[in-house]
Amino acid sequence: MATEKIILGIDPGTTIMGFGLIKVVGKKMEFLQLNELQLKKYDDHYLKLKVIFERTIELIDSYNPDEIAIEAPFFGKNVQSMLKLGRAQGVAMAAGLSREVPITEYAPKKIKMAITGNGNASKEQVAKMLQGMLGLKTLPKNLDSMDGLAAAVCHFYNQGRVQIGKSYSGWSSFVSQNEDRVKK
């Protein structure tokens, strides 16, 4: 009997949060859903974080994913952007942890490598590969949702392998792997 699981992939952002869902049956994956959360209309950064948390909870409660794959923030030169992106990622992770869904982080280059074989591939190249892999008829206008889908597919390809990214199965797991971040 083939095992079945659902993987939610998230591309966190404070302007657009992209997400994609795949179902895995045995060793085959099938496309379930992709979409994006538009956050441009919210001026308050804290309100954006609240909306990200609520939408992630809504996705978890609607699709009951067995695992979450999330794109880790990339290191840029703008510290304020990095801080905001890290908060968005943290809020999405907190939503998953609050529902006890295991989370794995993947670096953007690792995701691109898993999908295209090239860690420096463009968003468009990743989207085209996913379109062919999953039989999608059209691509969305914004590719952020495809980035979320790419995280889920990357996770599928990395199952059973030693993870380079960090994995968390709950709050205690997160705390034990990040003791340097805990106030004593």
Side-chain angles (χ1 to χ4, degrees), residues 90 93-95 97-98 169-176:
M93 291 171 75
L97 292 169
S98 75
S169 58
W171 283 113
S172 59
S173 170
F174 177 83
V175 170
S176 70

Side-chain angles (χ1 to χ4, degrees), residues 51-125:
V51 172
I52 291 168
F53 184 85
E54 290 172 347
R55 181 62 176 131
T56 304
I57 289 288
E58 190 178 294
L59 287 166
I60 292 167
D61 291 348
S62 296
Y63 291 96
N64 298 308
D66 298 285
E67 297 171 3
I68 294 174
I70 192 164
E71 186 173 310
F74 58 90
F75 297 100
K77 292 180 182 177
N78 185 330
V79 177
Q80 286 301 319
S81 294
M82 281 293 301
L83 181 61
K84 287 178 181 177
L85 189 58
R87 286 177 177 168
Q89 183 202 30
V91 166
M93 291 171 75
L97 292 169
S98 75
R99 292 293 198 259
E100 298 185 1
V101 181
I103 299 167
T104 304
E105 258 182 294
Y106 291 98
K109 282 187 179 260
K110 183 165 177 80
I111 293 172
K112 291 174 182 181
M113 179 65 100
I115 306 302
T116 68
N118 175 2
N120 295 314
S122 68
K123 273 183 174 279
E124 292 77 16
Q125 289 170 316

Side-chain angles (χ1 to χ4, degrees), residues 1-70:
M1 185 167 155
T3 58
E4 184 177 299
K5 83 165 98 171
I6 294 175
I7 302 170
L8 167 61
I10 299 174
D11 176 32
T14 55
T15 305
I16 300 173
M17 178 182 100
F19 66 87
L21 288 133
I22 58 171
K23 178 162 59 169
V24 177
V25 181
K27 295 186 179 199
K28 293 184 180 177
M29 68 175 153
E30 67 181 66
F31 170 76
L32 284 181
Q33 161 82 295
L34 81 139
N35 212 329
E36 57 194 32
L37 176 60
Q38 290 288 337
L39 298 160
K40 293 174 194 156
K41 60 187 169 197
Y42 304 104
D43 292 331
D44 183 347
H45 180 66
Y46 300 106
L47 181 57
K48 288 181 181 188
L49 295 176
K50 179 180 183 275
V51 172
I52 291 168
F53 184 85
E54 290 172 347
R55 181 62 176 131
T56 304
I57 289 288
E58 190 178 294
L59 287 166
I60 292 167
D61 291 348
S62 296
Y63 291 96
N64 298 308
D66 298 285
E67 297 171 3
I68 294 174
I70 192 164

Side-chain angles (χ1 to χ4, degrees), residues 123-180:
K123 273 183 174 279
E124 292 77 16
Q125 289 170 316
V126 171
K128 281 290 192 190
M129 283 295 280
L130 287 170
Q131 184 179 23
M133 257 184 235
L134 297 168
L136 305 176
K137 292 187 180 5
T138 59
L139 291 176
K141 187 177 114 183
N142 296 318
L143 296 181
D144 297 272
S145 56
M146 294 300 282
D147 290 345
L149 187 61
V153 172
C154 173
H155 188 66
F156 167 74
Y157 285 141
N158 282 282
Q159 290 176 12
R161 297 184 186 167
V162 175
Q163 297 294 327
I164 293 173
K166 292 184 179 182
S167 294
Y168 311 112
S169 58
W171 283 113
S172 59
S173 170
F174 177 83
V175 170
S176 70
Q177 291 184 47
N178 294 280
E179 289 179 358
D180 59 313

